[in-house]
Amino acid sequence: MERKWWHDKVAYQIYPKSFLDTNGDGIGDLRGIISKLDYLKALGIDIIWLSPIYKSPFVDQGYDIADYYAIAKEFGTMEEFDELLAEAKKRDMYIIMDLVINHCSDKHEWFQKALADPEGEYADYFYFREGKNGNPPSNYRSYFGGSCWEPVPGTNKYYLHMFAKEQPDLNWENPKLRQELYDMVNWWLEKGLAGFRIDAIINIKKNLEFPDFEPDGPDGMAGCWKMVESVEGVGEFLEDLKKNTFQKHDAFTVAEVFNMKEGELPQFIGEDGHFSTIFDFSAHSLSDGEHGWYDAVKVDFKKWRETIVNSQLEVQKAGFEANIIENHDEPRGVSRFLPEYARTPAGTKMLGTVSVLLRGIPFIYQGQEIGMQNAVWNSIEEYDDISTKDQYHIAREAGLSDKEALEVCGRMSRDNARTPVQWSDKEHAGFTTGTPWLKVNSNYKEINVESQEKDEDSVLNYYRKLTALRKSPEYKEVFTYGTFVPEYENTDNVMAYYRVDEGKRMLIAANFGTEPVELKLNYPVKRVALSNMKKSQVGEKLQLESCEVIVLECM
């Protein structure tokens, strides 16, 4: 395998709006990010992914881009962005940005020109289609609910939007549009960006016939992803994008890919794959409801363990995936993957260890390193997220009471990950001197960076030890390139695996149950490399308390 510069790195996702506000307007900003680079360096972070900071009306939190070449004034200026790049470089850190090129904002100049002349060249930057018998061109439901087709004013045409109506899809069949996008990508890479996290990229290939599908809901519509799953040829677009942009700059790319077809993984992340890596969402898919959040199941430990094991075994044949516990689109991992008794500092450290030492690129999401949890939400008005509001209405229409629908949203909402980072126990958790754009989690006095900095046994200081172990000269090779081998799969409530290369065998073992377990060790122990319960030595058998995790170097 050819070695790449990013293989041994640890990444961190920043959701800028909620990271740190320095000017009191209640919205996090670039200046806040710059001020915390040393904090991130101490956490062992090499790559920082910024969620969208482009100029946007923020209908979908900046994933509706009005100008790909401009920074949103809410976050700061291009000069401050250049300063961030320079300051990161001084610390041997890399910045990657979100690349949102399946769609843009309806306020983008291209779409405004298309509306002004629905027969003109800019209309072909989008999907403008005639309606059928007074109805939209097809029966697709968007990811955010409602039809994927919106009327083009003054015509009998509609335009396609797989997300919000303010996010028209871009027509990748148009070579002129593709060139515009490639020029923009290269402009950022030439500026010094190290790469991109690529949003919803599998959606760029459409079936241009836009056939109807069997309805899958009472609204008579079918999820637009059915069209995505049924169409072939997205790989040609992805290769074209790579060859014209990323490849020229040795850029690091991590793609958000759902709906991949059987056997396609090597094409995406293999030696010559479309991307450096893609996120592993397999564990997150376990709580997908058939009709929405309201029938989402809670994550079962055995299924979770089996899913991660199978994913790791499959992926290591092809390349590297990016491992996450949470991100800006998911609820907090501690609240999702840990049973209530394990939502403690010990349980949080255990979950972090299992994730960060897997084979692949670990991505830590802001606040994860202090064990931030889901918030308590009292009404639908407290939410900002467009998707949460849609899911609340779906739950109510399915017959759930207001209280039940709120309970479902409280468990699954993306806003759980978007509450401001808890820096201290001061007002608004030290995030802002103004009014935060989204409410602060009420547990900020118990869970915050400042108090954990002072506590040697805190989740934060444990995460620092964890990344340091992964990147240490002694263990970097095995944790980067070592094979993943599952262990103790038939032992209830234990998640365990080896990372093995020619020189080392590391055992990571965690007890997710309420009772202690005893495990017979299959290899003599050389040393305890890390433990969340301060174990310094282990005999022939391994005793694990509830929520205990240990990392052993074996013979």
Side-chain angles (χ1 to χ4, degrees), residues 187-200:
W187 184 83
W188 283 103
L189 292 171
E190 280 152 20
K191 199 181 230 308
L193 209 61
F196 293 97
R197 176 267 187 184
I198 302 157
D199 180 68

Side-chain angles (χ1 to χ4, degrees), residues 474-475 504-506 525-527 551-555:
E474 202 176 346
Y475 297 116
K504 288 208 166 31
R505 179 187 309 275
M506 308 298 293
V525 173
K526 211 163 156 185
R527 65 173 283 230
V551 182
L552 302 175
E553 183 180 352
C554 301
M555 301 291 231

Side-chain angles (χ1 to χ4, degrees), residues 18 44 102 114 145 267 279 296 336 341 347 411 489 512 524 545 551 554:
S18 299
N102 172 69
Q267 294 164 40
F279 288 109
R336 183 184 210 165
Y341 61 81
R411 207 171 75 233
E489 287 181 275
F512 281 74
E545 300 299 319
V551 182
C554 301

Side-chain angles (χ1 to χ4, degrees), residues 247-265:
Q247 204 168 302
K248 297 175 177 179
H249 300 269
D250 194 22
F252 169 67
T253 53
V254 52
E256 179 189 40
V257 176
F258 293 100
N259 317 84
M260 202 189 305
K261 296 179 175 64
E262 189 73 32
E264 276 189 337
L265 193 62

